[in-house]
Amino acid sequence: KSMETKKEAARKKSLGELGELFAIKALVDNEFDRIRNLNDRQLNEPFADIECEKDGKKYIVSVKARNKFQIDGKLNSRYNLGTSAYDKAAASEKKHNAKAYWMAIQFDKKSYSIYFGTLGELNGSKAIPVDKCEKGEIGEVWVNNK
């Protein structure tokens, strides 16, 4: 692999790890408990990164962290959930006896935003439309340009 490719892979990996830390903090701030990073137990769980509970309800959460803007300066407006996200989510829901959710974490140079929602709200879309999250049309805004 070229140096650029390796650098890009390392950047994405560190962004993902940072996103998971921010996700755990956001869940704590929103009074979730029994928060567990599923990657600690099994690397690359098919759908979810985090398992947690709130008010006796179990959640599995797929965390997607991205830079707010693309290299060309355009808004990075859709965060892909990956191939067969819905099948993987269904299997994960069964395995963990939990409901599938997503969390989109948008990093800018000096601020970040966090959006949280159900897979059902995406109506079969394979990506989280962050532009719609920003407008409050999909999911919940947990953190706005903090």
Side-chain angles (χ1 to χ4, degrees), residues 14-34:
S14 60
L15 195 60
E17 288 169 356
L18 185 65
E20 286 173 15
L21 292 173
F22 273 71
I24 289 167
K25 184 190 181 308
L27 288 164
V28 169
D29 291 347
N30 284 278
E31 298 173 7
F32 283 76
D33 52 29
R34 294 204 170 130

Side-chain angles (χ1 to χ4, degrees), residues 22 25 29 106 108 110-114 142-146:
F22 273 71
K25 184 190 181 308
D29 291 347
Q106 185 185 60
D108 203 354
K110 291 186 165 70
S111 64
Y112 69 99
S113 297
I114 298 179
W142 276 10
V143 176
N144 188 20
N145 289 320
K146 186 172 173 180

Side-chain angles (χ1 to χ4, degrees), residues 19 33 48 56-58 65 68-69 77 82 102-103 115-117 127:
D33 52 29
K57 190 175 155 198
K58 290 177 87 177
K68 182 170 183 170
F69 297 102
S77 65
W102 50 263
M103 189 183 299
Y115 309 103
F116 182 78

Side-chain angles (χ1 to χ4, degrees), residues 86-145:
Y86 290 85
D87 294 339
K88 289 174 181 171
S92 207
E93 282 181 328
K94 212 176 243 168
K95 178 181 173 183
H96 297 283
N97 187 26
K99 192 96 185 82
Y101 281 74
W102 50 263
M103 189 183 299
I105 303 178
Q106 185 185 60
F107 290 110
D108 203 354
K109 283 185 177 74
K110 291 186 165 70
S111 64
Y112 69 99
S113 297
I114 298 179
Y115 309 103
F116 182 78
T118 67
L119 214 50
E121 288 177 277
L122 301 178
N123 291 321
S125 169
K126 287 183 173 62
I128 303 163
V130 181
D131 48 348
K132 288 183 178 169
C133 294
E134 279 182 322
K135 294 176 194 149
E137 293 170 14
I138 285 182
E140 299 170 15
V141 178
W142 276 10
V143 176
N144 188 20
N145 289 320

Side-chain angles (χ1 to χ4, degrees), residues 30-41:
N30 284 278
E31 298 173 7
F32 283 76
D33 52 29
R34 294 204 170 130
I35 301 166
R36 285 178 294 285
N37 187 329
L38 292 170
N39 296 314
D40 290 346
R41 224 179 309 153

